Amino acid sequence: MAPKKRNKAAKSKLEKKENNSDKVSLELDQWVRRMRCNGFNKKGIRLQQFKDVQVGVLDEETKFGSHSYEPYPDMKIENFVYQGGRDGENRFHGSDSLLFEEGTSTMIGTWDHGLREGFFKIVTNRNGVQYVEGDYMNDNMNGKLKIIFDDNTWIEGFFKDGILHGFCRYFDAKNRLTFVGMHRNGKPVGTCWSIVGGGGCVVGRVDKKGKLSGPDIAYIYPDFKTALVGQFEDGIMISAQQCSVINVITEMESILAVTFSEPKGTIFKREVSGNDNITSMPNLKDPYETNTIQVRKSSVEGASEGIFTKCDIQKNTILAFYNGIKLPSNYEEPDSWDENAYKIFDPSNVPDGALDILEEHRSTAHYSASLAHKANHSFLPNSQFLVYDHPRWGIVPCIASTCHIEADQEIFVRYGYDLDWCPDWYQEAWNSGNYEPLVPKNSYFTLDEHDEYLPDEIIV
């Protein structure tokens, strides 16, 4: 084949690969966005509004003795006052309520000749459960139920014979999705997803304990293209290599399972920094940052380096991560602004913790494992500091876009210094313009709390 034809063929092959990558990442992104829909978003969108999403009970028999969330497995031994109808044999019958002896627990629903049969609402304080809402059949949880626990976390899943036995989603106390997967006899089974704070996901086939542990678990970055695959323990990366998402299939009619390219390259390890160590591999670059940003000479007068976008960036996109040594809560802060120039809040040690980039790590020649510390200030920023749960660094600050940013544009954040105590250059920059005042504060929010992650197509 002639060189021109080879080049054309190679270009066409690359374009097809990129198009497929975009298609797969979009499918994953939209699927996770749908999984997040629980009715607590501003538009009240729920998962069941997407008719093509198939969820339900696992079509297998349950195992006797499996774990159950049922707070009242045997109503015959309970003490309560019943207010409702009865059948000819004096059994509960009809849609009525009862009040338990302790005075705070109630049960409202439909009884059929002494058995719970239909939709129930239960207020309780048993077994770590405070509220149950959903379908009963033959006196057992059967069908879709919502269970709220004492810490206000909750699940919405499908039950059979009183046991969680099918599709289920887990949410935190702020109603944010944390886990999704199929269940068998009360435990997660098959491919499951852990939704990590900030936008990433851990995905893979759970072990026999229902944990995301083993040698073939993946962390997928927010672009749903870049991944780290390797050894994980209960969703936490131990060691992994970089790879790419290449395809998805539907498993158990409900869950997307991901296939990846062959992992290769340097091994990434979990390295949460300490008071005197930042990482054993200071120039092992983050694979996601490598795709989104680059360090160049800043456009800001007097500044040295800044970070620039490598491609067009949409609003609410994670751009870079801010790792550093952890300063103790009682550290003595230097008087010089030069010595304080790289300090930032530590979201893993709220409210007094701080991170710092030591002088020997401020040059990219000596440290390039994370690059958010290279972002410069503007009173008219295009990005903001948020919090991210990183597979390598743990919980750290990150930078996310607040608007659309074109390729090759510099990324700016607003530092948020107190104007009564700030560097001279900051005060001079403030005096040179007409800017909106900002109350100094640490940004302990994740992107989840700024972006509702609604799908592109919403059925109402």
Side-chain angles (χ1 to χ4, degrees):
M1 186 182 292
K4 287 186 178 180
K5 290 185 177 180
R6 283 200 299 268
N7 290 340
K8 186 176 181 180
K11 183 179 180 180
S12 176
K13 185 177 181 180
L14 178 61
E15 288 176 347
K16 288 182 179 178
K17 184 178 180 180
E18 290 176 346
N19 290 339
N20 182 67
S21 175
D22 290 340
K23 181 180 178 181
V24 171
S25 66
L26 178 62
E27 182 177 357
L28 282 172
D29 173 70
Q30 293 300 302
W31 183 81
V32 173
R33 286 175 182 267
R34 290 183 176 193
M35 292 299 114
R36 292 178 184 270
C37 292
N38 57 16
F40 286 97
N41 48 71
K42 291 179 181 178
K43 295 187 177 181
I45 305 302
R46 298 178 179 273
L47 181 61
Q48 55 264 38
Q49 293 177 231
F50 302 96
K51 304 303 180 184
D52 57 331
V53 176
Q54 301 298 314
V55 297
V57 175
L58 188 64
D59 189 19
E60 298 178 7
E61 293 301 314
T62 57
K63 182 180 179 181
F64 179 78
S66 297
H67 172 72
S68 174
Y69 293 110
E70 172 59 63
Y72 303 106
D74 186 358
M75 292 296 296
K76 295 178 181 178
I77 64 173
E78 303 293 342
N79 295 314
F80 52 80
V81 175
Y82 174 72
Q83 297 176 336
R86 297 177 183 268
D87 64 8
E89 298 181 15
N90 204 35
R91 296 173 298 190
F92 302 160
H93 192 70
S95 299
D96 296 295
S97 64
L98 55 84
L99 176 67
F100 288 90
E101 189 177 57
E102 63 265 30
T104 58
S105 299
T106 60
M107 182 181 295
I108 301 174
T110 303
W111 300 80
D112 183 42
H113 302 292
L115 301 178
R116 287 171 286 186
E117 197 80 23
F119 190 82
F120 270 80
K121 293 182 178 181
I122 301 172
V123 177
T124 183
N125 55 8
R126 294 272 187 91
N127 304 328
V129 173
Q130 62 168 293
Y131 183 73
V132 177
E133 177 181 287
D135 298 323
Y136 274 72
M137 184 174 66
N138 196 28
D139 213 36
N140 283 315
M141 297 175 175
N142 274 287
K144 182 180 175 182
L145 286 100
K146 175 180 179 179
I147 298 177
I148 303 177
F149 301 102
D150 286 345
D151 61 0
N152 290 318
T153 62
W154 56 283
I155 63 173
E156 183 183 79
F158 289 83
F159 289 71
K160 185 176 182 179
D161 302 328
I163 298 166
L164 180 56
H165 196 72
F167 177 85
C168 187
R169 297 182 295 162
Y170 295 63
F171 297 90
D172 67 14
K174 294 183 177 180
N175 303 312
R176 298 173 299 190
L177 181 69
T178 59
F179 190 89
V180 59
M182 292 295 288
H183 292 67
R184 178 186 291 127
N185 296 316
K187 291 182 181 179
V189 63
T191 297
C192 292
W193 290 71
S194 173
I195 312 302
V196 184
C201 302
V202 177
V203 60
R205 297 187 66 83
V206 295
D207 64 11
K208 62 182 180 180
K209 295 181 180 180
K211 304 293 185 181
L212 281 164
S213 300
D216 294 307
I217 307 297
Y219 176 89
I220 303 178
Y221 282 91
D223 61 357
F224 291 100
K225 295 180 180 180
T226 312
L228 295 169
V229 172
Q231 184 71 42
F232 283 67
E233 293 295 333
D234 198 10
I236 302 298
M237 185 182 78
I238 305 301
S239 62
Q241 292 175 288
Q242 181 181 351
C243 62
S244 299
V245 173
I246 59 175
N247 201 10
V248 292
I249 59 171
T250 302
E251 185 179 276
M252 294 185 175
E253 300 182 353
S254 300
I255 305 298
L256 287 190
V258 186
T259 55
F260 301 91
S261 62
E262 187 68 25
K264 59 183 180 181
T266 306
I267 294 176
F268 290 82
K269 294 182 179 180
R270 180 82 166 181
E271 291 187 290
V272 177
S273 65
N275 297 140
D276 56 4
N277 66 290
I278 186 168
T279 175
S280 62
M281 295 179 284
N283 286 315
L284 178 58
K285 297 182 178 180
D286 185 86
Y288 179 82
E289 277 189 344
T290 301
N291 294 332
T292 58
I293 63 167
Q294 58 185 327
V295 176
R296 300 208 314 247
K297 170 65 180 174
S298 175
S299 61
V300 177
E301 183 179 353
S304 55
E305 295 175 319
I307 53 177
F308 293 75
T309 55
K310 295 181 73 172
C311 57
D312 281 3
I313 299 295
Q314 299 302 313
K315 180 181 178 180
N316 291 328
T317 298
I318 300 295
L319 297 169
F321 310 107
Y322 204 120
N323 186 43
I325 65 163
K326 296 181 182 295
L327 300 175
S329 300
N330 61 349
Y331 79 96
E332 294 185 9
E333 192 168 87
D335 294 331
S336 167
W337 275 109
D338 287 339
E339 293 179 273
N340 286 311
Y342 287 88
K343 288 187 175 68
I344 192 173
F345 67 97
D346 178 5
S348 71
N349 184 15
V350 177
D352 300 321
L355 297 175
D356 194 12
I357 305 292
L358 299 180
E359 187 173 354
E360 60 263 32
H361 295 135
R362 295 177 185 177
S363 167
T364 52
H366 299 127
Y367 179 79
S368 57
S370 62
L371 296 170
H373 63 281
K374 289 293 182 180
N376 287 306
H377 162 81
S378 172
F379 286 113
L380 298 173
N382 53 20
S383 300
Q384 64 181 334
F385 283 118
L386 294 174
V387 175
Y388 193 92
D389 193 347
H390 194 275
R392 184 179 177 188
W393 311 126
I395 298 175
V396 294
C398 72
I399 291 176
S401 60
T402 56
C403 60
H404 175 262
I405 309 174
E406 294 183 352
D408 297 319
Q409 297 298 304
E410 187 164 4
I411 295 165
F412 294 104
V413 291
R414 189 167 179 171
Y415 284 2
Y417 290 138
D418 187 338
L419 289 169
D420 293 328
W421 192 67
C422 63
D424 292 340
W425 65 263
Y426 191 86
Q427 185 71 60
E428 291 168 3
W430 172 262
N431 293 336
S432 67
N434 183 21
Y435 304 113
E436 181 182 348
L438 180 71
V439 178
K441 62 180 180 179
N442 290 333
S443 181
Y444 294 117
F445 296 111
T446 63
L447 188 58
D448 312 56
E449 293 165 279
H450 287 266
D451 183 356
E452 290 199 300
Y453 289 107
L454 293 178
D456 292 339
E457 296 182 8
I458 299 175
I459 303 172
V460 294

